[in-house]
Structure formats: structure tokens, C-alpha cells
């Protein structure tokens, strides 16, 4: 049994992915402990979820800082004060400088609502609809210095229907996000992720693969 890994979760909004991680820990599916939740918005509903759970919830508003580096320095200090081992970006709408990324090498995960490398950036679901793709999905990846880029850990696919709106597609993808984010973190907690030549090797993947592979029809 792996020992619980210490998470710092960064949010900006509703925090449904945060909730999925909380639930997975409570259900014994994720061997992790959330040490701190940080939001760069004071009105993020995810803060309420964190406090309801008795978790330390910190608000750091970037406008209170003179520069990006000053903001990130304070954020790094907060994460280190709580002995965070893995930084989990869960709807955190702020770009990081290399300074932040290099402080947590291969220890920052992000979830993106598209099958990367397709549709990085904002409004990924809208981009998918505009391009008329038949399949989209969600990607959990390690964060590197490019936007929505870095070694891919887990993906899940969903169908895109002709009558989909941005909302309906987002909801279908979000359901899969809630499933794969805890799984990706659990793989990390178990020490099963190795990055080799910018690719993630999942050790003992045979056991894991069947559990995570979803054909779009079943979404
Ligand atoms: C998710 O779709 C995530 O992929 C994107 O922002 C959304 C956050 O949702 N980066 P929530 O705050 O976890 O509900």
C-alpha cells in the first residue's frame, strides 16, 4: 500500500474536480491527503467545498502582488509550508512562469478538456465544436513550460454529437475528468509514473489499461 501523497490543489472556479478528488480519497480509491487548496479568486465555489471539508483554503489574488514573480513566490511558499509533494491544477486559470514550473519539476499535474495535443488553450470545447471533430475528451498531463503541454498521463474520449452545444459537450467531458484525475494522481502516488523522453511510462499498465480505456460509445 502506497503512503498518502500530500497534495496542493489550485483552483479558480467551481471546483468539481477538487470535489472528485475529495470523494476518491474518502472512498479509499486515492491514497492522498489534500494539505491545502489555493484559489486566485475569492469567489471560487471550490473554496466553499474545501472549507466544508475542513481543508485549509487560501486565497491569493494576483492583483495584490506587484509582479507575476511576487505572486508565484508567495504561492510557492504556501505550497512548501504545507509540505506539498504534488501540485494539482484543477481549473486554475492562470499561467505560470518557468520559475514556478522549475520549483516543482515533474510534480505539477493539469487537466485539460480536450484530447491534447488537440485544442490547447482556452475554450477547448468550443474549438472542438468549431472544427467538427467527432471525438473529444479530457487529458491529464504533467505541466511543462508550454501551455497545455507536457507528458500525457491519462486520457478519456467522449463522442461529439451534431446537436451538441458548448455546455452539453463540456458536461460530458467533465464527467470523464472526474473519473480520470483521481486515477492519474493515484498512479503518481503509487510511484508508477516515469517520464522518459517526454513520454509517460505507466508501470504495470496492463492492469490499469482495461480499467481506464473507454470507447466513446460508452460515455
Ligand atoms: C475543467 O473543465 C478543467 O478541465 C478546466 O476547467 C474546468 C474546471 O472545472 N481546466 P472545475 O472547477 O473543476 O469544476
Amino acid at each position: 500500500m502506497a503512503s498518502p501523497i500530500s497534495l496542493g490543489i489550485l483552483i479558480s472556479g467551481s471546483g468539481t474536480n477538487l470535489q472528485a478528488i475529495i470523494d476518491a480519497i474518502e472512498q479509499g480509491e486515492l491514497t492522498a491527503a489534500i494539505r491545502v487548496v489555493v484559489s486566485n479568486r475569492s469567489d471560487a465555489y471550490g473554496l466553499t467545498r474545501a472549507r466544508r471539508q475542513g481543508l485549509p483554503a487560501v486565497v491569493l489574488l494576483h492583483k495584490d502582488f506587484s509582479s507575476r514573480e511576487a505572486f508565484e513566490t508567495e504561492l510557492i511558499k504556501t505550497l512548501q509550508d504545507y509540505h506539498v509533494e504534488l501540485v494539482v491544477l484543477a481549473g486554475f486559470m492562470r499561467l505560470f512562469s518557468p520559475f514556478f514550473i522549475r520549483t516543482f519539476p515533474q510534480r505539477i499535474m493539469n487537466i485539460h478538456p480536450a484530447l491534447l495535443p488537440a485544442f490547447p488553450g482556452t475554450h477547448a470545447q468550443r474549438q472542438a465544436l468549431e472544427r467538427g471533430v467527432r471525438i473529444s475528451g479530457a487529458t491529464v498531463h504533467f505541466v511543462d513550460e508550454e501551455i497545455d503541454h507536457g507528458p500525457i498521463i491519462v486520457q478519456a474520449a467522449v463522442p461529439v454529437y451534431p446537436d451538441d452545444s458548448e455546455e452539453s459537450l463540456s458536461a460530458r467531458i467533465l464527467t470523464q475528468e472526474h473519473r480520470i484525475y483521481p486515477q492519474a494522481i493515484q498512479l503518481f502516488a503509487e510511484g508508477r509514473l516515469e517520464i522518459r523522453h517526454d513520454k509517460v511510462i505507466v508501470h504495470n499498465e496492463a492492469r490499469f489499461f482495461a480499467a481506464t480505456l473507454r470507447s466513446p460509445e460508452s460515455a
Side-chain angles (χ1 to χ4, degrees):
M1 189 67 180
S3 59
I5 184 163
S6 295
L7 307 178
I9 304 196
L10 273 48
I11 61 166
S12 300
S14 141
T16 63
N17 277 291
L18 164 66
Q19 189 66 52
I21 294 165
I22 290 171
D23 294 346
I25 293 172
E26 291 209 322
Q27 285 155 20
E29 291 164 7
L30 177 53
T31 319
I34 301 172
R35 300 296 178 202
V36 64
V37 174
V38 183
S39 173
N40 67 333
R41 294 186 54 131
S42 53
D43 61 351
Y45 183 68
L47 288 167
T48 304
R49 297 180 193 274
R51 291 186 183 124
R52 201 165 57 195
Q53 203 64 26
L55 298 170
V58 175
V59 178
L60 286 183
L61 304 178
H62 42 263
K63 64 175 172 52
D64 290 347
F65 294 86
S66 55
S67 65
R68 183 182 291 270
E69 189 167 352
F71 170 75
E72 291 183 353
T73 300
E74 184 61 27
L75 180 55
I76 290 166
K77 184 178 176 307
T78 304
L79 295 168
Q80 289 175 340
D81 283 351
Y82 283 97
H83 305 289
V84 164
E85 295 170 282
L86 179 68
V87 180
V88 176
L89 308 184
F92 187 70
M93 302 301 282
R94 184 131 190 103
L95 300 178
F96 287 116
S97 71
F99 163 64
F100 183 87
I101 311 278
R102 288 173 198 165
T103 306
F104 301 97
Q106 302 180 352
R107 286 183 170 265
I108 309 173
M109 271 188 201
N110 183 42
I111 190 154
H112 183 74
L115 292 176
L116 290 174
F119 312 129
T122 52
H123 305 298
Q125 302 92 333
R126 191 187 304 167
Q127 293 183 55
L129 289 173
E130 284 170 0
R131 286 302 294 268
V133 295
R134 305 299 203 255
I135 296 173
S136 191
T139 303
V140 181
H141 65 97
F142 285 110
V143 171
D144 67 11
E145 293 176 22
E146 290 176 54
I147 295 170
D148 296 325
H149 187 272
I152 289 169
I153 304 165
V154 183
Q155 293 186 303
V158 305
V160 181
Y161 297 123
D163 60 351
D164 261 329
S165 62
E166 204 176 327
E167 290 70 34
S168 63
L169 178 58
S170 299
R172 194 173 308 121
I173 291 173
L174 201 55
T175 303
Q176 296 303 316
E177 293 185 35
H178 299 160
R179 196 174 60 79
I180 64 174
Y181 217 173
Q183 287 177 342
I185 297 167
Q186 179 63 15
L187 288 172
F188 185 93
E190 292 177 11
R192 287 170 56 193
L193 302 179
E194 183 192 335
I195 301 176
R196 234 187 265 164
H197 308 301
D198 291 330
K199 251 179 75 172
V200 171
I201 311 290
V202 181
H203 292 289
N204 282 322
E205 184 159 26
R207 199 152 54 81
F208 173 75
F209 202 68
T212 58
L213 184 66
R214 281 285 188 286
S215 77
E217 285 78 18
S218 68

